[in-house]
Amino acid sequence: MQEFLSDAIKPYLNRINAIRTAMTLIEWDNETGAPKGAAEYTANVQGVLAAEYQRAVLEPDFVKLIRQLKADENGTEAQRATGRLLDKEISKLEKIPIEEYENYNRILAQAAGVWQKAKKENDYAAFAPYLELIIEYCKKFAALQAKEGQKLYDVMLEEFEEGFT
């Protein structure tokens, strides 16, 4: 898996990857086969797992190891690139309050089911409140991550098109 990474980093990445995998599987189940009545419960689980993911990524020893990896002049380009990628995630998550991140992910999970129904029934109004909340959170998170004078749009664009403004 991460053969080129130190044994010290692997346990942290294993935990982080396990949490992300669980989140992905629950999201997939929610969108494909979970009973409709389970949506509130699984949305709560998604929120809790998101908070655990954030805690795992921000574990102080892991952050220290990743920042060392990123800066290691003796490391390979692949190692430094992995360090840069993980440090970007750390830098993003360390600015977001954990309760906010948990709630945002809970809303995203709830919104997925509402969107499916609203789309099928051509009922945008049912989805609109969720969309408003999602946009509100995205703006709030972008404001927390923005550097001095940086536009919120550019912060959000960075998520999808690194280096573009």
Side-chain angles (χ1 to χ4, degrees):
M1 185 166 109
Q2 298 97 4
E3 295 82 29
F4 65 94
L5 296 177
S6 76
D7 288 338
I9 293 174
K10 286 180 185 179
Y12 295 102
L13 288 180
N14 286 339
R15 180 170 179 238
I16 289 166
N17 289 331
I19 294 167
R20 290 296 304 166
T21 299
M23 291 172 68
T24 301
L25 289 173
I26 290 171
E27 179 182 7
W28 175 80
D29 187 48
N30 234 9
E31 293 182 12
T32 59
K36 300 300 175 213
E40 185 177 334
Y41 175 77
T42 56
N44 187 55
V45 171
Q46 285 286 85
V48 170
L49 285 172
E52 288 306 310
Y53 169 77
Q54 187 180 21
R55 285 184 186 98
V57 169
L58 298 179
E59 178 70 38
D61 291 338
F62 177 70
V63 171
K64 182 179 175 185
L65 287 166
I66 292 306
R67 293 194 168 143
Q68 288 171 349
L69 180 67
K70 177 183 165 186
D72 186 2
E73 294 294 324
N74 296 321
T76 67
E77 179 52 33
Q79 289 169 325
R80 287 191 304 277
T82 299
R84 286 190 304 270
L85 184 66
L86 290 167
D87 187 51
K88 183 177 177 182
E89 181 74 354
I90 289 166
S91 295
K92 179 178 92 173
L93 290 175
E94 69 188 353
K95 295 177 178 101
I96 299 172
I98 199 160
E99 305 81 25
E100 299 272 343
Y101 191 67
E102 181 176 347
N103 198 44
Y104 170 70
N105 280 276
R106 186 176 292 116
I107 289 166
L108 285 178
Q110 292 168 345
V114 173
W115 169 246
Q116 285 179 351
K117 185 175 184 228
K119 185 178 177 185
K120 183 190 288 184
E121 297 173 2
N122 199 24
D123 183 13
Y124 171 76
F127 181 67
Y130 291 90
L131 183 58
E132 287 177 24
L133 283 171
I134 292 166
I135 291 170
E136 185 179 308
Y137 270 106
C138 288
K139 287 180 177 179
K140 179 185 259 184
F141 294 165
L144 292 169
Q145 296 169 37
K147 296 176 180 97
E148 183 75 30
Q150 188 179 23
K151 295 176 186 172
L152 295 186
Y153 183 84
D154 290 339
V155 175
M156 290 186 261
L157 182 60
E158 183 72 16
E159 285 288 309
F160 303 99
E161 293 293 341
E162 190 170 347
F164 280 75
T165 61

